[in-house]
């Protein structure tokens, strides 16, 4: 597999003290955390002792339970439902149903139109947030799996609204992520993630980015200026890994795999200590193969 190695042959300044590399913005745990048990919706038998982890009868709020039951029932009716039908389907008394419906409409969780009730804006926002969290969790779990199977920290980043954003990082004590010692958005020219994302942009977008964040040397190995970086980006083969050696941080080597889905420019990347540089390309090749096998399943979550 061809790779793009952006390292200079020799440093162009004396070596500075070692730093660390990419920023751990969001870290899934080293091992999966089991989901929390759902609270029981009904209390146990009368006079039965409380079960650890389950609420007693005194802790359950009946009006909240009834309101949630109404919301779930309304959500099942795409074209809306009248109050009497909702009362019948939930088993609630009609006066109670009317009272709860008025409250839910007032709070924005439901809306009423021509006698029918639909989910309101507040409920839609909850649904949207839940879907986003699920997409984020899917990416985080996938990165954590690759971290453990390949034995390296794994990063996911996007180019969004003119900025380089590291969305998720999976690392562990055995495979630690490197620290953000210089603002990561402003130093995209110096690290593999930034170079990989910039390589996916058109010429105008690259120049716009560099006009806001001009290239400058931050280690002896960093590209010197915008012109040198633009020449390097123009030579990069499409969809091949980008390798960077000590350009962002001395003592660290990185590789980034380009991911382009529609108009979304994204990347999965890894980092290693420089003394393990011989592991970088094999690890990058394994990551690229894994991405190829799972990209279809990840596509719905790729723009978290």
């Amino acid at each position: 597999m061809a790779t793009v190695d952006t390292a200079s042959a020799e440093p162009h300044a004396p070596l500075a003290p070692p730093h660390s590399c990419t920023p751990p913005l969001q870290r899934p745990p080293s091992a999966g955390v089991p989901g929390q048990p759902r609270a029981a919706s009904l209390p146990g038998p009368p006079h039965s002792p409380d079960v650890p982890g389950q609420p007693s009868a005194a802790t359950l709020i009946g009006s909240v339970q009834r309101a949630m039951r109404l919301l779930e029932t309304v959500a099942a009716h795409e074209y809306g439902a009248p109050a009497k039908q909702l009362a019948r389907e939930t088993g609630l008394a009609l006066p109670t149903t009317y009272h709860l419906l008025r409250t839910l409409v007032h709070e924005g969780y439901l809306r009423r139109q021509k006698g029918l009730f639909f989910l309101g804006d507040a409920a839609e926002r909850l649904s949207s947030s839940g879907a986003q969290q699920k997409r984020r969790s899917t990416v985080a779990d996938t990165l954590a799996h690759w971290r453990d199977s390949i034995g390296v920290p794994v990063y996911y980043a996007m180019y969004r609204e003119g900025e380089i954003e590291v969305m998720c990082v999976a690392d562990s004590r055995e495979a630690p992520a490197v620290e953000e010692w210089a603002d990561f958005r402003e130093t995209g020219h110096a690290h593999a993630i930034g170079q990989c994302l910039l390589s996916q942009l058109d010429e105008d977008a690259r120049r716009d980015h560099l006009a806001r964040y001009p290239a400058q040397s931050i280690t002896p190995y960093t590209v010197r200026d915008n012109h040198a970086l633009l020449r390097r980006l123009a030579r990069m083969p499409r969809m091949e890994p980008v390798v960077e050696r000590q350009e962002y941080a001395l003592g660290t080597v990185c590789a980034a795999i380009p991911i382009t889905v529609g108009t979304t420019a994204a990347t999965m990347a890894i980092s290693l200590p420089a003394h393990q540089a011989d592991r970088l390309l094999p690890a990058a090749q394994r990551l690229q193969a894994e991405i190829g096998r799972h990209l279809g399943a990840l596509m719905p979550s790729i723009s978290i």
Side-chain angles (χ1 to χ4, degrees), residues 221-242:
Y221 300 91
T222 312
V223 65
R224 296 170 182 269
D225 54 46
N226 288 0
H227 296 297
L229 179 64
L230 288 170
R231 288 195 299 271
R232 176 188 294 180
L233 295 174
R235 294 194 303 268
M236 289 183 180
R238 286 182 56 82
M239 309 315 293
E240 294 293 344
V242 174

Side-chain angles (χ1 to χ4, degrees), residues 13-14 73 103 117 147 169 183 189 199 291 293 301:
T73 305
T103 303
F117 291 88
R147 171 202 64 205
V169 178
D183 191 304
H189 63 285
S199 73
I291 293 170
R293 281 193 289 268
S301 307

Side-chain angles (χ1 to χ4, degrees), residues 74 77-81 109-113 116-120:
V74 171
H77 292 280
E78 182 180 355
Y79 301 103
Y109 291 98
L110 294 179
R111 59 183 175 88
R112 184 178 182 182
Q113 184 177 347
L116 302 178
F117 291 88
F118 303 82
L119 290 180

Side-chain angles (χ1 to χ4, degrees), residues 152-264:
V152 293
V154 186
Y155 311 78
Y156 173 59
M158 295 173 57
Y159 194 82
R160 187 162 61 177
E161 297 180 356
E163 299 291 349
I164 293 168
E165 296 188 26
V166 176
M167 310 299 294
C168 188
V169 178
D171 70 341
S172 65
R173 182 174 298 178
E174 295 74 21
V178 287
E179 297 178 2
E180 180 183 12
W181 74 274
D183 191 304
F184 210 65
R185 293 172 303 175
E186 296 181 7
T187 56
H189 63 285
H191 46 72
I193 285 175
Q195 293 175 24
C196 187
L197 292 173
L198 291 174
S199 73
Q200 297 174 64
L201 305 181
D202 61 32
E203 185 74 13
D204 290 341
R206 291 174 189 171
R207 291 185 180 278
D208 173 75
H209 182 90
L210 294 175
R212 290 179 287 116
Y213 303 120
Q216 54 183 318
S217 294
I218 58 176
T219 80
Y221 300 91
T222 312
V223 65
R224 296 170 182 269
D225 54 46
N226 288 0
H227 296 297
L229 179 64
L230 288 170
R231 288 195 299 271
R232 176 188 294 180
L233 295 174
R235 294 194 303 268
M236 289 183 180
R238 286 182 56 82
M239 309 315 293
E240 294 293 344
V242 174
V243 173
E244 164 264 305
R245 302 177 189 274
Q246 304 191 85
E247 293 188 55
Y248 176 77
L250 295 176
T252 302
V253 295
C254 303
I257 311 299
I259 302 171
T260 303
V261 180
T263 58
T264 300

Side-chain angles (χ1 to χ4, degrees), residues 93-169:
L94 188 58
T96 300
T97 302
Y98 276 123
H99 176 72
L100 290 172
L101 289 173
R102 283 195 298 269
T103 303
L104 291 168
V105 168
H106 180 268
E107 296 297 326
Y109 291 98
L110 294 179
R111 59 183 175 88
R112 184 178 182 182
Q113 184 177 347
K114 296 180 180 180
L116 302 178
F117 291 88
F118 303 82
L119 290 180
D121 290 342
E124 296 288 354
R125 286 194 296 272
L126 284 176
S127 175
S128 176
S129 297
Q132 184 179 41
Q133 288 178 354
K134 184 176 181 180
R135 293 194 299 271
R136 201 175 280 273
S137 177
T138 297
V139 173
D141 291 345
T142 302
L143 264 61
H145 171 72
W146 291 341
R147 171 202 64 205
D148 295 339
S149 63
I150 303 175
V152 293
V154 186
Y155 311 78
Y156 173 59
M158 295 173 57
Y159 194 82
R160 187 162 61 177
E161 297 180 356
E163 299 291 349
I164 293 168
E165 296 188 26
V166 176
M167 310 299 294
C168 188
V169 178

